[in-house]
Amino acid sequence: MSSNSTIEDSKNTDMLTRSCSDRSNDRNRNAYSNREKCYDRLKQQCDNAMHELMILRRQHGETVQRYNQTRTELEYYRGQNQVVINEIEQVAQESSSFGSKLAADKQILNRHKQEDRAARINTMCIYVHRMSV
């Protein structure tokens, strides 16, 4: 029995050694696997960040292009606006000038009407006076 006991002890020791060795290998394998997973995760994050950076650069370029186009349009419409403002000011001055001229012409017309009425009345008075004589 002692020989069986020794064989069993030897098997147990061998199993224990293998078990510890397997655990050590598992730990090493797990550590390598963990490092590999960590590397893969970091690489994926880096790839995602680089992709997002590329998209943001493209969007920035498009935004700058739209800004420049909008700025060009703004300058064009500012110029057009200034032209219209100048035309409005000119029309306002002409209108004011025409208003003053119209007022002066109305005075002249009223004076002529009064003179014409007075002349007709004078003519009628002379006619009536001659008829009565």
Side-chain angles (χ1 to χ4, degrees), residues 4 7 9 12 27 33 57-58 80 87 100 102-103 114 118 122 124 126:
N4 278 343
I7 292 175
D9 285 342
N12 285 339
R27 266 188 250 132
S33 178
R57 281 183 177 155
R58 190 189 71 220
Q80 293 297 316
E87 288 175 358
S100 299
L102 180 63
Q114 287 174 354
N122 241 357
M124 283 173 107
I126 293 174

Side-chain angles (χ1 to χ4, degrees), residues 68-118:
N68 289 333
Q69 182 179 358
T70 303
R71 188 174 177 101
T72 302
E73 289 175 10
L74 171 68
E75 291 302 318
Y76 170 77
Y77 287 117
R78 266 192 189 149
Q80 293 297 316
N81 184 45
Q82 191 59 46
V83 167
V84 170
I85 287 174
N86 291 342
E87 288 175 358
I88 289 172
E89 288 174 354
Q90 183 180 359
V91 167
Q93 288 174 352
E94 289 174 1
S95 174
S96 175
S97 173
F98 288 142
S100 299
K101 189 172 184 328
L102 180 63
D105 288 348
K106 278 185 178 180
Q107 286 178 348
I108 293 171
L109 182 61
N110 285 337
R111 198 174 331 124
H112 285 299
K113 281 181 181 178
Q114 287 174 354
E115 290 172 359
D116 190 41
R117 190 179 309 146

Side-chain angles (χ1 to χ4, degrees), residues 33-45:
S33 178
N34 285 342
R35 275 188 246 132
E36 197 173 76
K37 286 178 185 176
C38 186
Y39 172 80
D40 289 342
R41 190 179 73 246
L42 288 173
K43 185 176 183 314
Q44 183 65 36
Q45 287 176 349

Side-chain angles (χ1 to χ4, degrees), residues 56-72:
L56 290 172
R57 281 183 177 155
R58 190 189 71 220
Q59 287 175 347
H60 175 71
E62 291 170 356
T63 302
V64 167
Q65 191 176 13
R66 280 195 318 263
Y67 167 79
N68 289 333
Q69 182 179 358
T70 303
R71 188 174 177 101
T72 302

